[in-house]
């Protein structure tokens, strides 16, 4: 198919895809009392509890679909809301930008705006749960590879609250 595609078609396709703006996939909200949720068996994701109410956030990131039905039918354009502990975004920003007494220096490898560079992936705008899982995996040795190896000593010094804060901050950034 590619061999039969004209240069003009390739140019038009490239212009079209270059014009697309990244959508924010997750909205990060700081709160001490997010909505009460439960794990839906159909979609294996958290949804709002039918009785309503709130629950304490504790030391966690709580993510729910913006539209549970669209998520259940696997709509790839349906986003999420991530509730995080109050102060997480500012604390995460301090850790990411200055290290705040730790050896965190994300911009060295992931670029000044954390949009990635070369084979090092972007961090900005990623889902906070994804970032947290990756950091926990690296810390516990469940994730490897040459791009992960330099992160092991950095992540080893992070507490669970540090990981939640960093993940919250990175998730709150625009994807591009």
């Amino acid at each position: 198919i590619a061999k039969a595609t004209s240069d003009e078609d390739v140019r038009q396709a490239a212009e079209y895809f270059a014009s697309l703006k990244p959508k924010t996939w997750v909205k990060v909200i700081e709160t001490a009392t997010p909505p009460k949720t439960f794990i839906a068996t159909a979609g294996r994701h958290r949804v709002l509890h039918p009785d309503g109410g709130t629950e304490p956030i504790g030391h966690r990131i709580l993510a729910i679909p913006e539209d549970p039905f669209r998520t259940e039918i696997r709509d790839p354009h349906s986003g999420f809301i991530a509730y995080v502990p109050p102060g997480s975004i500012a604390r995460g920003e301090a850790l990411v930008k200055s290290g705040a007494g730790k050896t965190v220096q994300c911009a060295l490898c992931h670029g000044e705006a954390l949009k990635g560079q070369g084979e090092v992936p972007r961090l900005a705008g990623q889902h906070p749960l994804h970032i947290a899982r990756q950091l926990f995996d690296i810390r516990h040795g469940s994730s490897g590879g040459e791009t992960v190896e330099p992160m092991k000593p950095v992540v080893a010094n992070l507490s669970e609250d540090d990981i939640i804060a960093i993940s919250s901050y990175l998730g709150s950034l625009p994807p591009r």
Side-chain angles (χ1 to χ4, degrees), residues 23 25-27 29 35-40 42-49 62-75 77-83 127 129:
K23 178 185 178 228
W25 179 250
V26 62
K27 180 179 181 181
I29 299 173
K36 189 173 181 182
T37 63
F38 71 100
I39 298 175
R44 295 188 193 153
H45 53 267
R46 287 192 172 275
V47 294
L48 296 176
H49 197 282
L62 180 69
I64 61 169
E66 284 182 326
D67 183 333
F69 175 73
R70 287 177 59 197
T71 301
E72 189 172 321
I73 63 169
R74 307 283 188 211
D75 179 348
H77 304 288
S78 186
F80 287 82
I81 300 169
Y83 295 99
H127 197 298
L129 285 176

Side-chain angles (χ1 to χ4, degrees), residues 44-146:
R44 295 188 193 153
H45 53 267
R46 287 192 172 275
V47 294
L48 296 176
H49 197 282
D51 296 338
T54 60
E55 60 185 322
I57 188 77
H59 298 282
R60 62 183 174 150
I61 299 168
L62 180 69
I64 61 169
E66 284 182 326
D67 183 333
F69 175 73
R70 287 177 59 197
T71 301
E72 189 172 321
I73 63 169
R74 307 283 188 211
D75 179 348
H77 304 288
S78 186
F80 287 82
I81 300 169
Y83 295 99
V84 300
S88 294
I89 295 172
R91 186 163 177 268
E93 181 178 19
L95 283 164
V96 166
K97 289 186 173 179
S98 69
K102 310 262 179 175
T103 57
V104 180
Q105 298 174 351
C106 301
L108 290 176
C109 297
H110 294 274
E112 194 59 40
L114 305 170
K115 310 284 188 213
Q117 51 187 15
E119 296 197 17
V120 179
R122 83 175 156 89
L123 299 176
Q126 293 285 355
H127 197 298
L129 285 176
H130 170 71
I131 297 284
R133 282 187 198 116
Q134 293 298 316
L135 292 173
F136 279 116
D137 284 350
I138 293 166
R139 187 172 83 177
H140 295 290
S142 305
S143 184
E146 27 182 276

